[in-house]
């Protein structure tokens, strides 16, 4: 872009300076993204001002990079994070072609869209309680051939899915309520509280997800949730109490922890004797 005697390099330098002054650690990368996303210099100026004011970069430019995909992210919607890519990788290892996949607490639909891009012919369903997230997810998941529903956890899903879900992923909120104030300003101010707050110990939503999971999973099906290393033992206990066989997967490089619960493929019933 060129205007008023400024060349592209000069504009980029000015933007980088503004972003650095606002505390943006990756000012150079952000400047390039803002310039590429702007249609006019007026757009660019407005976008830079929004970023300097503290809005997440992804909300400013309208998308986030996730699993090498460009995921649409609307203002107020939870921004998919890089550690969640590990959740996707674990789900890919467990899913087969043609699997029935459900993405609960889907937010922007990033996890479901990534799974649809990586796996062949999956039957994809996603749900979220936040109307803004659902509108955003419909742009990402519907484009991948999936279906998106608005409602609380399993409530809006088609009843025909009960007992037939092969892979159930739930990036449910797991931040303890009292820890919300410790999150980066971008998250606690500009992302929906419902996408962050996991209750007193951070595991309230996970408990509800795990409690109903056996009703929805096919025999041998898997529930995967993202959690913290500290909370993982409690999540394992929650899964066990609900009849799921738990295991923990972690990836230190991303500081990512996933707990996987498997519904037993065969249920043994003790025979009654007279």
């Amino acid at each position: 872009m060129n205007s008023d005697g400024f060349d592209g390099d000069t504009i980029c330098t000015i933007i980088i300076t503004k972003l650095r002054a606002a505390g943006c650690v990756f000012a150079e990368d952000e400047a390039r993204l803002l310039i590429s996303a702007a249609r006019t210099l007026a757009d660019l100026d407005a976008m830079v001002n929004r970023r300097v004011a503290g809005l997440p970069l992804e909300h400013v430019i309208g998308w986030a990079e996730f699993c090498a995909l460009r995921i649409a992210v609307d203002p107020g919607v939870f921004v998919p994070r890089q550690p969640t890519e590990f959740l996707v990788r674990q789900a890919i290892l467990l899913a087969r072609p043609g699997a029935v996949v459900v993405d609960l607490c889907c937010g922007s639909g990033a996890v479901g869209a990534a799974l649809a891009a990586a796996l062949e012919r999956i039957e994809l369903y996603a749900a979220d309680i936040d109307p803004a997230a659902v509108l955003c997810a419909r742009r990402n998941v519907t484009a991948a051939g999936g279906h998106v529903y608005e409602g609380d956890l399993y409530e809006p899903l088609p009843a025909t899915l009960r007992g037939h879900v092969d892979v159930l992923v739930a990036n449910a909120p797991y931040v303890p309520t009292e820890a919300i104030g410790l999150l980066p300003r971008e998250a606690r101010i500009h992302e929906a509280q419902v996408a962050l707050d996991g209750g007193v110990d951070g595991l309230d939503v996970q408990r509800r997800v795990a409690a109903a999971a056996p009703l929805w999973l096919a025999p041998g099906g898997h529930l995967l949730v993202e959690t913290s290393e500290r909370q993982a033992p409690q999540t394992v206990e929650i899964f066990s109490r609900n009849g799921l066989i738990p295991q923990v997967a972690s990836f230190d490089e991303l500081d990512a922890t996933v707990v996987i619960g498997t519904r037993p493929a065969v249920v043994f019933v003790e025979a009654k004797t007279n």
Side-chain angles (χ1 to χ4, degrees), residues 221-244:
H222 309 282
L223 166 64
L224 300 92
V225 301
E226 178 178 313
T227 192
S228 69
E229 182 180 7
R230 178 182 58 81
Q231 293 165 309
Q234 294 170 273
T235 302
V236 164
E237 183 181 347
I238 291 167
F239 279 26
S240 295
R241 285 202 306 266
N242 288 283
L244 301 173

Side-chain angles (χ1 to χ4, degrees), residues 83-99:
T84 305
E85 294 186 4
F86 183 64
L87 176 67
V88 173
R89 294 179 204 168
Q90 295 303 302
I92 289 171
L93 293 174
L94 296 169
R96 55 174 174 76

Side-chain angles (χ1 to χ4, degrees), residues 3 8 18 32 34 37 48 51 56 80 84 92 107 132 140 142 144 160 162-163 168 170 184 195 198 205 209 223 265:
S3 178
K18 287 184 176 181
R32 285 192 289 270
L34 289 165
V48 171
R51 179 60 181 136
T84 305
I92 289 171
N140 296 308
T142 304
T160 53
R162 283 176 171 255
L168 172 60
V205 183
V209 170
L223 166 64

Side-chain angles (χ1 to χ4, degrees), residues 56-59 62-66 71-85 87 103-111 127-137 140 170-175 180 183-184 186-198 226-227:
L57 175 69
E58 294 82 3
H59 289 169
W63 59 272
E65 183 177 343
F66 183 79
I71 301 295
V73 181
D74 295 330
V77 175
F78 181 81
V79 176
R81 269 76 161 172
Q82 191 176 15
T84 305
E85 294 186 4
L87 176 67
D103 180 8
L104 282 188
C105 306
C106 69
S108 65
V111 171
D128 201 285
I129 197 170
D130 179 12
V134 169
L135 287 174
C136 187
N140 296 308
N171 188 19
Y174 57 92
V175 180
I180 296 293
L183 292 175
E186 293 179 5
R188 69 176 187 268
I189 293 178
H190 297 289
E191 294 181 344
Q193 184 91 356
V194 71
L196 303 171
D197 192 343
E226 178 178 313
T227 192

Side-chain angles (χ1 to χ4, degrees), residues 37-56:
R39 292 170 296 179
T40 66
L41 279 174
D43 279 346
L44 180 58
D45 185 56
M47 292 168 73
V48 171
N49 288 337
R50 291 172 65 203
R51 179 60 181 136
V52 168
L55 270 73

Side-chain angles (χ1 to χ4, degrees), residues 1-7 10-11 14 41:
M1 295 182 186
N2 297 304
S3 178
D4 297 329
F6 290 102
D7 61 24
T10 301
I11 291 172
I14 292 172
L41 279 174

